[in-house]
Amino acid sequence: MKTNTTQTGANGVGHKGIISAVATALLDIFSEQNRLPPLEPGKRIDGKVCLITGANSGLGKAVAIDLARRGGHVIMVCRNDTPTAREEIIRDSGSTRIEMMRADLSDLESVSYLCDQLRARNVKLDIAVLNAGLMPLNARKSAQGHELMFAVHFLANRLMLARWLADGVIPQDRSGLNIPRVVFVSSEAHQSSAPIDFNHFAKFHDYGLKDGMKYYGLSKLHLSTFACELNRQLNESAPPKVAVHHLCPGPIASNIARESPPYIKPILSPIMKLLFRSPEKAAEPVIYLACADAMGLRSGVYLHMMKEKHPSPLAVDATNGKLLWEKSAVLLESHLPSNPRKMECL
């Protein structure tokens, strides 16, 4: 079944490619209307266990430094072992409560092994920031044959949440400001994505540079739809059991465009360095959702930079959410341990 929900309103950004996405991002940077204030530096989260994916560079690294500086015990989840990144976070945060765990989020077996380790160690997460992202130059397949952005941006996060909830890594028996928080780093590109084609769910499509933004936005629509459905599944009534939020951090001077072709880089790189926000600035909405008291008492908030907005109507549509939940569960069955609790989080 292909859902035909249409998108209305002013939220669609309408990216047609890299250049139009850059232009839209620049307009968003300079708008101050309805902007939330950043979380005050003195807000502490002493002793809270914080996991960040893609924490060795860019936005993830900036988030790790900030959470460590506020007193959090930080678990960096990185694709490669990069001890220098951990050393830099220790140096910049002034905290030694930093550890690194390896996981390749494009490989569901690697994701499963990460979950096994967390369960074996009896880790209890207070804050999970699912940040890892990429934008390949051409379509590539993951270890399980899925399109790479679909695998990293959505399917890995879907599996981690299923495991963490079933294994008790994310507790569901806390109350008040002690409830765990899950923060998904999505993108405004999800607002202009075509609907998810549930008739051909998870089908691999070959693409090149011309359609890269299209499939990036589609992968982020999967992620934002999942965030909305996860909130419905966990929080049927207030107060929430787990605070589930998602956001677009805005345009960042990071290495996500590292695969841009040579003829684009001379244009894109100077723009990113001069006009895009630093990872530290872009981390502000992530930190706000992860640490602000108000965001611990709510769930389902979507921020674009420091503005609360509505996600795409496609993402909030309950029919789409249910279909995404059910069809992705089938893809994960072979990567979950056989136990009577597994279906609770599928």
Side-chain angles (χ1 to χ4, degrees):
M1 182 192 323
K2 182 174 180 177
T3 309
N4 292 316
T5 306
T6 56
Q7 179 170 324
T8 59
N11 280 333
V13 290
H15 301 326
K16 301 300 183 183
I18 293 176
I19 302 301
S20 65
V22 170
T24 300
L26 293 177
L27 291 174
D28 289 340
I29 285 177
F30 297 109
S31 173
E32 295 292 334
Q33 187 178 7
N34 300 322
R35 189 181 297 275
L36 293 166
L39 193 66
E40 63 274 12
K43 174 63 178 177
R44 303 290 299 174
I45 57 166
D46 293 297
K48 289 188 179 292
V49 179
C50 313
L51 181 146
I52 306 106
T53 62
N56 60 305
S57 65
L59 177 64
K61 183 178 178 182
V63 170
I65 291 169
D66 193 299
L67 293 177
R69 192 177 286 152
R70 295 175 186 275
H73 177 119
V74 170
I75 301 173
M76 305 168 59
V77 175
C78 307
R79 183 167 58 91
N80 298 313
D81 293 326
T82 50
T84 56
R86 177 179 177 271
E87 293 164 6
E88 290 167 358
I89 292 174
I90 290 173
R91 180 196 66 205
D92 293 343
S93 68
S95 170
T96 58
R97 301 191 69 189
I98 318 290
E99 61 177 297
M100 182 179 291
M101 300 182 72
R102 185 185 180 280
D104 181 352
L105 300 189
S106 70
D107 184 350
L108 295 179
E109 289 300 319
S110 180
V111 175
S112 294
Y113 182 66
L114 169 70
C115 295
D116 290 343
Q117 290 179 295
L118 293 170
R119 180 184 60 187
R121 291 174 47 189
N122 197 32
V123 171
K124 304 296 180 184
L125 296 178
D126 297 285
I127 297 169
V129 177
L130 289 310
N131 156 77
L134 76 167
M135 186 184 293
L137 181 59
N138 299 296
R140 297 209 299 267
K141 290 185 177 182
S142 71
Q144 285 73 39
H146 302 296
E147 191 277 320
L148 199 59
M149 290 188 288
F150 172 84
V152 173
H153 296 164
F154 165 61
L155 207 54
N157 292 325
R158 174 75 169 95
L159 176 56
M160 284 189 286
L161 264 296
R163 283 291 308 271
W164 294 347
L165 291 165
D167 295 342
V169 172
I170 293 181
Q172 299 181 64
D173 57 357
R174 296 180 180 176
S175 60
L177 296 177
N178 291 318
I179 69 167
R181 305 190 197 190
V182 177
V183 179
F184 296 103
V185 178
S186 185
S187 169
E188 272 287 274
H190 91 276
Q191 300 271 18
S192 56
S193 174
I196 298 168
D197 185 353
F198 289 107
N199 281 330
H200 304 94
F201 185 72
K203 180 181 178 181
F204 178 83
H205 293 277
D206 197 11
Y207 62 84
L209 176 65
K210 180 181 177 181
D211 290 325
M213 180 60 73
K214 169 185 173 181
Y215 286 97
Y216 178 81
L218 181 61
S219 71
K220 292 297 188 176
L221 177 60
H222 282 82
L223 180 59
S224 281
T225 304
F226 173 54
C228 294
E229 182 61 21
L230 181 65
N231 179 47
R232 279 190 291 266
Q233 293 279 341
L234 293 177
N235 304 312
E236 295 180 358
S237 59
K241 294 180 181 178
V242 179
V244 180
H245 304 303
H246 55 136
L247 77 143
C248 171
I252 311 171
S254 70
N255 62 352
I256 193 170
R258 57 187 174 272
E259 295 193 27
S260 299
Y263 69 88
I264 288 287
K265 285 183 178 179
I267 301 172
L268 189 59
S269 295
I271 291 175
M272 292 179 71
K273 289 179 181 178
L274 292 173
L275 297 176
F276 280 25
R277 305 191 316 157
S278 68
E280 293 73 25
K281 189 71 175 175
E284 288 180 352
V286 182
I287 299 303
Y288 188 83
L289 292 174
C291 302
D293 288 350
M295 293 298 103
L297 301 174
R298 299 175 60 190
S299 190
V301 173
Y302 174 71
L303 295 184
H304 178 216
M305 293 187 277
M306 289 300 289
K307 298 179 182 181
E308 185 170 348
K309 295 178 64 174
H310 293 294
S312 162
L314 296 173
V316 300
D317 184 273
T319 299
N320 290 343
K322 185 172 185 291
L323 283 168
L324 182 71
W325 190 271
E326 293 173 348
K327 288 184 175 292
S328 60
V330 175
L331 301 180
L332 300 181
E333 284 181 350
S334 63
H335 303 284
L336 289 160
S338 298
N339 65 69
R341 297 188 61 197
K342 77 173 187 178
M343 295 307 294
E344 293 179 18
C345 302
L346 282 176

Tab-separated table of all heavy atoms in Angstrom, residues 38 57-63 65-66 69 92 252-253 277-287:
chain	number	residue	atom	x	y	z
A	38	PRO	N	19.064	29.360	24.160
A	38	PRO	CA	19.864	28.155	24.427
A	38	PRO	C	19.870	27.842	25.914
A	38	PRO	O	19.663	28.716	26.761
A	38	PRO	CB	21.249	28.540	23.919
A	38	PRO	CG	21.276	30.028	23.937
A	38	PRO	CD	19.879	30.482	23.663
A	57	SER	N	33.184	13.301	15.537
A	57	SER	CA	33.414	14.508	14.755
A	57	SER	C	32.135	15.319	14.650
A	57	SER	O	31.044	14.844	14.985
A	57	SER	CB	33.917	14.154	13.338
A	57	SER	OG	32.909	13.457	12.622
A	58	GLY	N	32.281	16.564	14.180
A	58	GLY	CA	31.130	17.387	13.857
A	58	GLY	C	30.164	17.595	14.995
A	58	GLY	O	30.549	17.823	16.152
A	59	LEU	N	28.872	17.500	14.672
A	59	LEU	CA	27.819	17.744	15.650
A	59	LEU	C	27.898	16.776	16.821
A	59	LEU	O	27.762	17.173	17.981
A	59	LEU	CB	26.453	17.630	14.964
A	59	LEU	CG	25.232	17.791	15.864
A	59	LEU	CD1	25.171	19.193	16.467
A	59	LEU	CD2	23.954	17.482	15.092
A	60	GLY	N	28.106	15.487	16.534
A	60	GLY	CA	28.155	14.500	17.608
A	60	GLY	C	29.251	14.785	18.612
A	60	GLY	O	29.055	14.630	19.824
A	61	LYS	N	30.391	15.191	18.129
A	61	LYS	CA	31.507	15.520	19.015
A	61	LYS	C	31.172	16.734	19.871
A	61	LYS	O	31.451	16.764	21.079
A	61	LYS	CB	32.760	15.769	18.187
A	61	LYS	CG	34.007	16.042	19.013
A	61	LYS	CD	35.208	16.221	18.097
A	61	LYS	CE	36.480	16.535	18.882
A	61	LYS	NZ	37.633	16.758	17.971
A	62	ALA	N	30.563	17.762	19.266
A	62	ALA	CA	30.179	18.958	20.019
A	62	ALA	C	29.160	18.628	21.102
A	62	ALA	O	29.225	19.149	22.221
A	62	ALA	CB	29.622	20.019	19.061
A	63	VAL	N	28.206	17.749	20.787
A	63	VAL	CA	27.216	17.320	21.779
A	63	VAL	C	27.900	16.564	22.908
A	63	VAL	O	27.594	16.776	24.094
A	63	VAL	CB	26.128	16.460	21.112
A	63	VAL	CG1	25.232	15.795	22.157
A	63	VAL	CG2	25.286	17.308	20.162
A	65	ILE	N	30.966	16.831	24.002
A	65	ILE	CA	31.717	17.767	24.839
A	65	ILE	C	30.778	18.506	25.784
A	65	ILE	O	31.053	18.630	26.987
A	65	ILE	CB	32.500	18.766	23.961
A	65	ILE	CG1	33.631	18.042	23.219
A	65	ILE	CG2	33.051	19.918	24.790
A	65	ILE	CD1	34.290	18.879	22.137
A	66	ASP	N	29.660	18.981	25.254
A	66	ASP	CA	28.726	19.750	26.079
A	66	ASP	C	28.129	18.893	27.193
A	66	ASP	O	28.072	19.311	28.358
A	66	ASP	CB	27.615	20.322	25.198
A	66	ASP	CG	26.797	21.385	25.907
A	66	ASP	OD1	26.168	21.058	26.937
A	66	ASP	OD2	26.784	22.544	25.452
A	69	ARG	N	30.728	18.184	29.802
A	69	ARG	CA	31.003	19.397	30.564
A	69	ARG	C	29.930	19.633	31.629
A	69	ARG	O	30.198	20.186	32.700
A	69	ARG	CB	31.074	20.586	29.602
A	69	ARG	CG	31.620	21.872	30.194
A	69	ARG	CD	31.697	22.920	29.096
A	69	ARG	NE	32.802	22.662	28.172
A	69	ARG	CZ	32.816	23.030	26.903
A	69	ARG	NH1	31.760	23.628	26.363
A	69	ARG	NH2	33.877	22.784	26.150
A	92	ASP	N	38.615	19.124	26.047
A	92	ASP	CA	37.734	20.273	25.868
A	92	ASP	C	36.616	20.341	26.898
A	92	ASP	O	36.082	21.423	27.160
A	92	ASP	CB	37.138	20.260	24.458
A	92	ASP	CG	38.178	20.481	23.377
A	92	ASP	OD1	39.284	20.952	23.707
A	92	ASP	OD2	37.887	20.195	22.202
A	252	ILE	N	25.278	22.934	8.983
A	252	ILE	CA	26.452	22.823	9.853
A	252	ILE	C	27.718	22.769	9.004
A	252	ILE	O	27.770	22.077	7.988
A	252	ILE	CB	26.392	21.551	10.721
A	252	ILE	CG1	25.036	21.427	11.415
A	252	ILE	CG2	27.510	21.540	11.747
A	252	ILE	CD1	24.845	20.094	12.102
A	253	ALA	N	28.733	23.471	9.445
A	253	ALA	CA	30.055	23.378	8.813
A	253	ALA	C	30.715	22.113	9.320
A	253	ALA	O	31.523	22.126	10.246
A	253	ALA	CB	30.894	24.608	9.144
A	277	ARG	N	26.630	27.257	10.447
A	277	ARG	CA	26.886	27.320	11.878
A	277	ARG	C	27.952	26.321	12.283
A	277	ARG	O	28.086	25.255	11.694
A	277	ARG	CB	25.589	27.049	12.638
A	277	ARG	CG	24.480	28.005	12.207
A	277	ARG	CD	23.267	27.968	13.083
A	277	ARG	NE	22.837	26.632	13.434
A	277	ARG	CZ	22.098	26.367	14.513
A	277	ARG	NH1	21.771	27.333	15.327
A	277	ARG	NH2	21.706	25.145	14.768
A	278	SER	N	28.672	26.660	13.314
A	278	SER	CA	29.676	25.742	13.854
A	278	SER	C	28.964	24.563	14.506
A	278	SER	O	27.798	24.662	14.909
A	278	SER	CB	30.532	26.452	14.898
A	278	SER	OG	29.749	26.760	16.039
A	279	PRO	N	29.625	23.414	14.625
A	279	PRO	CA	29.017	22.287	15.337
A	279	PRO	C	28.585	22.663	16.756
A	279	PRO	O	27.557	22.178	17.238
A	279	PRO	CB	30.127	21.235	15.348
A	279	PRO	CG	30.918	21.530	14.118
A	279	PRO	CD	30.917	23.031	14.011
A	280	GLU	N	29.347	23.514	17.415
A	280	GLU	CA	28.995	23.939	18.783
A	280	GLU	C	27.673	24.701	18.806
A	280	GLU	O	26.840	24.503	19.700
A	280	GLU	CB	30.111	24.798	19.368
A	280	GLU	CG	31.423	24.062	19.615
A	280	GLU	CD	32.186	23.730	18.345
A	280	GLU	OE1	31.987	24.443	17.324
A	280	GLU	OE2	32.985	22.773	18.368
A	281	LYS	N	27.470	25.570	17.829
A	281	LYS	CA	26.219	26.318	17.746
A	281	LYS	C	25.062	25.399	17.353
A	281	LYS	O	23.956	25.492	17.897
A	281	LYS	CB	26.360	27.449	16.727
A	281	LYS	CG	25.206	28.434	16.715
A	281	LYS	CD	25.211	29.305	17.956
A	281	LYS	CE	24.128	30.379	17.882
A	281	LYS	NZ	24.043	31.156	19.148
A	282	ALA	N	25.337	24.515	16.413
A	282	ALA	CA	24.305	23.593	15.954
A	282	ALA	C	23.891	22.606	17.040
A	282	ALA	O	22.796	22.034	16.976
A	282	ALA	CB	24.794	22.834	14.722
A	283	ALA	N	24.748	22.405	18.039
A	283	ALA	CA	24.428	21.474	19.127
A	283	ALA	C	23.380	22.037	20.085
A	283	ALA	O	22.805	21.284	20.882
A	283	ALA	CB	25.697	21.123	19.905
A	284	GLU	N	23.112	23.336	20.026
A	284	GLU	CA	22.212	23.961	21.010
A	284	GLU	C	20.831	23.304	21.074
A	284	GLU	O	20.339	23.016	22.172
A	284	GLU	CB	22.087	25.458	20.726
A	284	GLU	CG	23.344	26.247	21.069
A	284	GLU	CD	23.208	27.737	20.786
A	284	GLU	OE1	22.184	28.137	20.178
A	284	GLU	OE2	24.123	28.494	21.158
A	285	PRO	N	20.147	23.047	19.941
A	285	PRO	CA	18.835	22.405	20.057
A	285	PRO	C	18.923	20.966	20.559
A	285	PRO	O	18.002	20.496	21.244
A	285	PRO	CB	18.276	22.471	18.631
A	285	PRO	CG	19.472	22.636	17.755
A	285	PRO	CD	20.445	23.430	18.553
A	286	VAL	N	19.996	20.266	20.242
A	286	VAL	CA	20.175	18.906	20.758
A	286	VAL	C	20.279	18.943	22.277
A	286	VAL	O	19.620	18.159	22.987
A	286	VAL	CB	21.433	18.250	20.153
A	286	VAL	CG1	21.575	16.819	20.668
A	286	VAL	CG2	21.396	18.274	18.635
A	287	ILE	N	21.114	19.839	22.785
A	287	ILE	CA	21.312	19.955	24.232
A	287	ILE	C	20.025	20.402	24.915
A	287	ILE	O	19.690	19.920	26.008
A	287	ILE	CB	22.457	20.947	24.530
A	287	ILE	CG1	23.770	20.452	23.913
A	287	ILE	CG2	22.615	21.157	26.026
A	287	ILE	CD1	24.197	19.070	24.352
